[in-house]
Amino acid sequence: MAGGIGERFLAALEGVVGAAAVRAAPADCWPYGYDNSRRHAAPGAVVFPASEEEVAGVVRLCAEHRIPLVARGRGTGTTGAAVPTPGGVVLSTERMARILAVEPDDRLLVAQPGATNAEVQEAAAAHGFFWPPDPTSAAFCTVGGNLAYNSAGPRAVKYGTCRENTLGLRAVDGTGRAFRTGVRTTKGVVGYDLTRLLVGSEGTLAVITEATLRLVPLPEATATLRAVYTDVGAAARAVASVMAQPVTPCALEFMDGNAIALVRERPEADLPAGAGAMLMIEVDGPAHGIDHAAEAVARAASVEGLVDLRRARDATEVAALWAARKALSPALRQIAPKKINEDVAVPVSRLPALIEGLGALARRHRIRIVNFGHAGNGNIHVNLLADPDDADEMARARACLAEVFDLVLRLDGTLSGEHGVGLEKQPFVGRELDAHVIALSHAIKAQFDPFGILNPGKVFPPPDQEASARSRR
Amino acid sequence: MAGGIGERFLAALEGVVGAAAVRAAPADCWPYGYDNSRRHAAPGAVVFPASEEEVAGVVRLCAEHRIPLVARGRGTGTTGAAVPTPGGVVLSTERMARILAVEPDDRLLVAQPGATNAEVQEAAAAHGFFWPPDPTSAAFCTVGGNLAYNSAGPRAVKYGTCRENTLGLRAVDGTGRAFRTGVRTTKGVVGYDLTRLLVGSEGTLAVITEATLRLVPLPEATATLRAVYTDVGAAARAVASVMAQPVTPCALEFMDGNAIALVRERPEADLPAGAGAMLMIEVDGPAHGIDHAAEAVARAASVEGLVDLRRARDATEVAALWAARKALSPALRQIAPKKINEDVAVPVSRLPALIEGLGALARRHRIRIVNFGHAGNGNIHVNLLADPDDADEMARARACLAEVFDLVLRLDGTLSGEHGVGLEKQPFVGRELDAHVIALSHAIKAQFDPFGILNPGKVFPPPDQEASARSRR
């Protein structure tokens, strides 16, 4: 579909944003071709607009020349959603990175898409507030990327995802038209909810140029607990028990036995004997009530199979309790640099069945699977460890992965809790979504992006592939 | 557009749902023609499907015959959204009123659209949970209606609206195809967010046949405070001060001086002299921390201009403090049975400017305006009192109303915080939404409802009217 980028197109791009804001040399373009999925495709040009007007001009030009365009924050996504169409345009939001307003009385903050999550948190914290979404990459990832993926993190269990914490947007559709969605109030029901239609749409409907974010007051106090269990069944029962009582934790993180085995030998981990699963639990709220809240959660977490439950008394102890969890990612990277990392989610009550089912799949396919994640949302990071140089093991891992997804869907779950679809999970989307929902989604995309230039081929299988996949079923 | 209902169509309808589930006699149809806007249009038939399959069959038939269809709960809406197209079909959800599942571990409840809000609350409460949306009409209004309007109530200030508390839906589009949106988990990012696209779309995109609702644990304790101020400016400053500190109230209700004047003489009101504005504040949470929470909110509410601040010590005192607020609606109905009741919302910091601006408009147009509402969301019910038998006063009220909307939009507000658009505010939608957003919305509707049979003419001005309105600007 791409018409290919020629001199005339580049000159026109420079006319819109200035020559200094266009890069077309292959060496300059290369670094804008990857994301954290380790996929890569070289764009034909990278453009750095500084305003919504310039974004609109760039999109209009791409529409006219039928050149695919992908908006890009910092490339921390894990699904290939920000990897460009080969030879297409990358629109980097680096020069649209300002915090435009913080309004504590109205509990909102207005940011450009290139501002990092950390910059948003810092600006909000100066007024005693925070923005709930807290992906692991918060120090680097951008608001635009967070919104495109509906990214979240541990805090979502109490405070929700981007969807629950975005009041309104400004955006440019695939014809280069700018528009405004949503409101500056926490209630508003005039017209369709285009704000949430754009959140999570992975840049396929419009380029976000400004976001009005809902702020939440910073809690006065936090308490951190670590609960160790004999086995994952006990830990999963504890999660359900915690979620069925009134004190909702602000983090409820899970590690299975394989994850514990990976970090057990690290000196900082300090894990008791017989640790088959572990929960990290945090509660926050008014300083006065924090002990009672911690006790309520500790009681709920004290199910049969509990080996050890500790509460950190100071910052040093908080760090010590988190040590095992924090050691996990480096340990995983060390033993399996190219692990397959999925982020499925199931209803909390189905966690025991999920973990048990994953164990059975691991045995059957002879693949080591390490599970950890945000248990309060039932959002588990399933890591299939396979050596990419071992073709047989990789084939087993891929076969296993397909069965992991089937298991998740049998348990009323979803293929992605927070990473999104991009290219990685696109072939599996048809297993989760109704064919008619996919058809409606294509139809909606065609209204926002009639020339199909906005991040084509991401999220949904192209209509023709989808139809032929259906006919094969 | 309506083809008109004939014998052949009625026979076909009976073929889908059974003869007992179709009413076509004018006397039977009449009561299904109104809503709480006091508008009325007689439908040509009322149909009572008992399953999604029957809903799909009815919609398919209407699509085939190009007969307009509106889904209807209990008709408690205030905007005419549920008033049928004259001679069209009303699809009543009365026979789809079951609670299908309550899953406390997963914090969710599955309901059919005809279940009332109260029935949902009752089923959830049996497990220690509630569903946050709490419109005043909760005893009668249905879940389907709540979702169609994105209805909320006082609790939204802390717990959000339908949008933040709906996990997934089943629905039937305008061609009679059933589909499923969303997930059974609190996180999920596979595909576009069609759940929230349907929530608040007032039946113009699809008929909701099942809803998976997010439950929240019932708080252990609640504290009720009443704060009386010399004037609305002081009360508005108190609202901003309360919203800028960490304890978010679960109700923050406002009455202005005119509202107080209406109920002052009632024996149950018990208002101090010099009361020019009033806030009702509730906080909820763990029993142990409730006193501290109440004190934090009381401190924040104690701004200059505070006349009196009381906290209820028991249920009798709670009832006494709420008495003035509860006396207001009957008092209003008595003196102005046909008042114009709007539900605009502005950012909390703009409340003083809103109330002041409304005062100026009232004086200029010689219309009495009474304001009260959900101040924590900036969601104010603006009541224009006019005698419908006084043509001159009614004309002044209509002129005033148009200026009320302009004022709200100048203050970055929205025309509706929770009632929706329907027919009442449809002529004003173009003042709030970009022309391009309206065009995109029409385009989206055309994908879900290609024959234009689902609640036509509601929310958005018809495309032709819109275009001609634009050309006149």
Side-chain angles (χ1 to χ4, degrees):
Chain A
M1 170 226 284
I5 291 182
E7 288 307 316
R8 207 163 62 86
F9 176 77
L10 284 175
L13 262 190
E14 291 181 2
V16 171
V17 295
V22 178
R23 296 271 180 284
D28 291 340
C29 287
W30 189 259
Y32 289 87
Y34 71 95
D35 76 358
N36 200 22
S37 69
R38 301 176 187 230
R39 286 172 183 254
H40 186 275
V46 186
V47 58
F48 303 85
S51 67
E52 180 179 278
E53 206 183 345
E54 290 188 2
V55 170
V58 170
V59 174
R60 216 150 34 224
L61 209 54
C62 287
E64 199 181 303
H65 290 257
R66 305 293 193 269
I67 291 178
L69 173 146
V70 61
R72 178 188 177 81
R74 297 288 183 90
T76 55
T78 61
T79 66
V83 172
T85 308
V89 166
V90 169
L91 184 157
S92 168
T93 56
E94 284 165 72
R95 291 176 69 213
M96 294 177 70
R98 281 183 302 145
I99 308 288
L100 300 173
V102 188
E103 309 284 358
D105 286 358
D106 299 333
R107 293 191 169 190
L108 65 84
L109 179 152
V110 183
Q112 289 187 311
T116 64
N117 185 294
E119 286 161 355
V120 165
Q121 305 301 353
E122 202 179 318
H127 298 267
F129 287 85
F130 70 103
W131 186 49
D134 60 338
T136 314
S137 55
F140 312 103
C141 64
T142 64
V143 169
N146 294 171
L147 295 170
Y149 296 107
N150 192 29
S151 303
R155 277 198 300 237
V157 63
K158 179 167 180 178
Y159 294 106
T161 67
C162 292
R163 237 173 234 160
E164 289 80 22
N165 292 287
T166 306
L167 299 177
L169 299 172
R170 291 196 57 90
V172 170
D173 76 5
T175 68
R177 284 201 209 215
F179 60 100
R180 184 178 58 84
T181 74
V183 285
R184 284 171 69 96
T185 52
T186 41
K187 275 181 175 174
V189 283
V190 173
Y192 298 155
D193 188 349
L194 301 189
T195 305
R196 281 143 199 101
L197 187 62
L198 296 190
V199 170
S201 67
E202 302 189 11
T204 61
L205 297 177
V207 177
I208 293 169
T209 56
E210 187 184 298
T212 302
L213 307 175
R214 175 177 172 261
L215 298 182
V216 177
L218 282 166
E220 278 176 9
T222 304
T224 302
L225 297 97
R226 189 187 75 180
V228 175
Y229 299 88
T230 50
D231 60 290
V232 292
R237 283 194 305 276
V239 170
S241 167
V242 167
M243 292 307 287
Q245 54 82 52
V247 180
T248 302
C250 61
L252 183 47
E253 299 292 296
F254 164 83
M255 280 171 66
D256 77 354
N258 285 343
I260 290 174
L262 275 180
V263 298
R264 163 174 295 291
E265 302 312 321
R266 307 230 160 188
E268 70 271 30
D270 184 28
L271 283 157
M278 186 181 108
L279 296 178
M280 291 297 306
I281 313 173
E282 287 197 342
V283 291
D284 64 10
H288 173 76
I290 199 71
D291 288 341
H292 271 70
E295 285 155 24
V297 166
R299 264 196 310 277
S302 298
V303 300
E304 202 182 316
L306 179 71
V307 174
D308 179 53
L309 193 149
R310 294 187 201 178
R311 177 176 167 192
R313 290 288 148 187
D314 55 37
T316 315
E317 285 187 32
V318 168
L321 288 192
W322 276 104
R325 172 66 187 80
K326 304 246 161 161
L328 183 58
S329 289
L332 267 173
R333 258 199 302 277
Q334 197 180 319
I335 65 156
K338 300 218 175 171
K339 64 192 164 69
I340 300 174
N341 171 13
E342 296 302 333
D343 75 313
V344 301
V346 296
V348 166
S349 67
R350 318 301 289 269
L351 279 175
L354 174 68
I355 302 297
E356 193 181 314
L358 290 170
L361 289 177
R363 287 188 295 277
R364 181 142 55 82
H365 292 278
R366 288 178 291 126
I367 292 292
R368 194 164 166 199
I369 300 185
V370 174
N371 301 303
F372 63 97
H374 316 306
N377 298 106
N379 185 196
I380 299 298
H381 293 267
V382 178
N383 291 267
L384 280 65
L385 309 191
D387 178 356
D389 296 331
D390 181 340
D392 180 56
E393 190 172 62
M394 283 303 286
R396 292 203 311 275
R398 276 191 295 271
C400 182
L401 182 63
E403 291 199 50
V404 168
F405 289 148
D406 286 339
L407 170 66
V408 165
L409 295 175
R410 270 203 310 280
L411 297 172
D412 289 330
T414 177
L415 302 183
S416 178
E418 57 184 14
H419 291 173
V421 175
L423 293 165
E424 290 289 331
K425 292 188 185 176
Q426 194 237 53
F428 301 100
V429 160
R431 298 193 191 187
E432 175 166 342
L433 300 183
D434 292 0
H436 188 50
V437 161
I438 294 177
L440 281 171
S441 302
H442 280 303
I444 290 170
K445 177 170 170 63
Q447 310 312 309
F448 282 82
D449 178 26
F451 308 114
I453 59 160
L454 293 181
N455 214 9
K458 311 295 169 59
V459 187
F460 298 105
D464 44 343
Q465 279 183 31
E466 168 55 26
S468 70
R470 259 207 310 280
S471 71
R472 283 197 305 275
R473 267 171 221 158
Chain B
M1 168 225 283
I5 291 182
E7 286 308 317
R8 208 164 60 86
F9 176 78
L10 284 176
L13 263 189
E14 291 181 359
V16 172
V17 295
V22 178
R23 295 271 180 283
D28 290 340
C29 288
W30 189 259
Y32 289 87
Y34 72 94
D35 77 358
N36 200 20
S37 69
R38 302 177 186 231
R39 286 172 183 254
H40 186 275
V46 185
V47 56
F48 303 84
S51 67
E52 181 179 277
E53 206 183 346
E54 290 187 2
V55 170
V58 169
V59 175
R60 219 153 30 228
L61 208 55
C62 288
E64 198 181 303
H65 291 256
R66 304 292 193 271
I67 291 178
L69 175 146
V70 61
R72 178 190 179 83
R74 298 288 184 90
T76 57
T78 62
T79 67
V83 172
T85 308
V89 166
V90 168
L91 183 156
S92 168
T93 57
E94 282 164 74
R95 290 176 68 213
M96 294 177 70
R98 279 183 303 146
I99 308 288
L100 301 173
V102 188
E103 308 284 357
D105 287 358
D106 299 332
R107 292 188 170 194
L108 65 82
L109 179 152
V110 184
Q112 289 187 312
T116 64
N117 184 294
E119 286 161 355
V120 166
Q121 306 300 355
E122 201 179 319
H127 298 267
F129 288 85
F130 68 102
W131 186 48
D134 59 339
T136 314
S137 54
F140 312 102
C141 63
T142 64
V143 169
N146 294 172
L147 295 170
Y149 297 107
N150 191 30
S151 302
R155 279 199 299 238
V157 64
K158 178 167 182 179
Y159 295 105
T161 66
C162 292
R163 238 173 232 158
E164 289 79 23
N165 293 288
T166 306
L167 299 177
L169 298 172
R170 290 197 58 91
V172 171
D173 77 4
T175 67
R177 283 199 210 219
F179 60 101
R180 185 177 56 86
T181 75
V183 286
R184 284 171 70 95
T185 52
T186 43
K187 274 179 172 175
V189 283
V190 173
Y192 299 154
D193 188 349
L194 301 190
T195 305
R196 279 140 199 104
L197 188 61
L198 296 192
V199 171
S201 67
E202 303 188 10
T204 61
L205 297 177
V207 177
I208 293 169
T209 55
E210 187 183 297
T212 302
L213 307 176
R214 176 179 171 261
L215 298 182
V216 176
L218 282 166
E220 279 175 10
T222 304
T224 302
L225 297 95
R226 189 187 74 180
V228 175
Y229 299 88
T230 51
D231 60 291
V232 292
R237 284 194 306 276
V239 170
S241 168
V242 167
M243 292 307 286
Q245 54 83 50
V247 180
T248 303
C250 62
L252 182 47
E253 298 292 296
F254 164 82
M255 279 170 65
D256 77 354
N258 286 343
I260 289 176
L262 275 179
V263 298
R264 166 175 291 296
E265 302 313 321
R266 306 229 161 190
E268 70 271 30
D270 184 27
L271 284 157
M278 186 182 110
L279 296 178
M280 290 299 305
I281 314 173
E282 287 198 340
V283 292
D284 63 11
H288 173 76
I290 200 72
D291 288 341
H292 271 71
E295 286 154 23
V297 166
R299 266 195 309 278
S302 297
V303 300
E304 203 183 314
L306 179 72
V307 175
D308 179 53
L309 191 149
R310 296 188 199 176
R311 176 175 167 195
R313 291 286 147 188
D314 55 37
T316 314
E317 285 187 32
V318 168
L321 289 191
W322 276 105
R325 171 66 186 80
K326 304 246 162 160
L328 183 57
S329 289
L332 268 173
R333 258 199 302 277
Q334 197 180 321
I335 66 156
K338 298 220 174 172
K339 64 191 165 71
I340 300 175
N341 172 12
E342 297 302 334
D343 74 314
V344 301
V346 296
V348 166
S349 67
R350 317 302 288 271
L351 279 176
L354 174 67
I355 301 295
E356 193 181 314
L358 289 170
L361 290 176
R363 285 188 296 277
R364 183 142 54 81
H365 292 278
R366 288 178 292 127
I367 292 292
R368 194 166 167 196
I369 301 185
V370 173
N371 301 301
F372 63 97
H374 317 305
N377 297 107
N379 187 194
I380 300 297
H381 294 266
V382 178
N383 291 268
L384 281 65
L385 310 191
D387 178 355
D389 296 331
D390 181 340
D392 179 58
E393 190 172 64
M394 282 304 287
R396 291 201 313 275
R398 276 191 296 270
C400 182
L401 182 64
E403 290 199 50
V404 167
F405 289 148
D406 287 338
L407 170 66
V408 164
L409 295 175
R410 271 202 311 280
L411 297 173
D412 290 330
T414 177
L415 302 184
S416 178
E418 57 184 12
H419 291 173
V421 174
L423 293 166
E424 290 289 331
K425 291 189 185 175
Q426 194 237 53
F428 300 99
V429 160
R431 298 193 190 187
E432 174 165 341
L433 301 182
D434 291 0
H436 188 49
V437 161
I438 294 177
L440 282 171
S441 302
H442 280 303
I444 290 170
K445 177 170 169 65
Q447 309 312 308
F448 282 82
D449 179 26
F451 308 114
I453 59 160
L454 294 181
N455 214 8
K458 310 295 169 64
V459 187
F460 299 106
D464 45 343
Q465 277 182 32
E466 169 55 24
S468 70
R470 261 208 310 283
S471 71
R472 281 197 308 273
R473 268 171 220 157

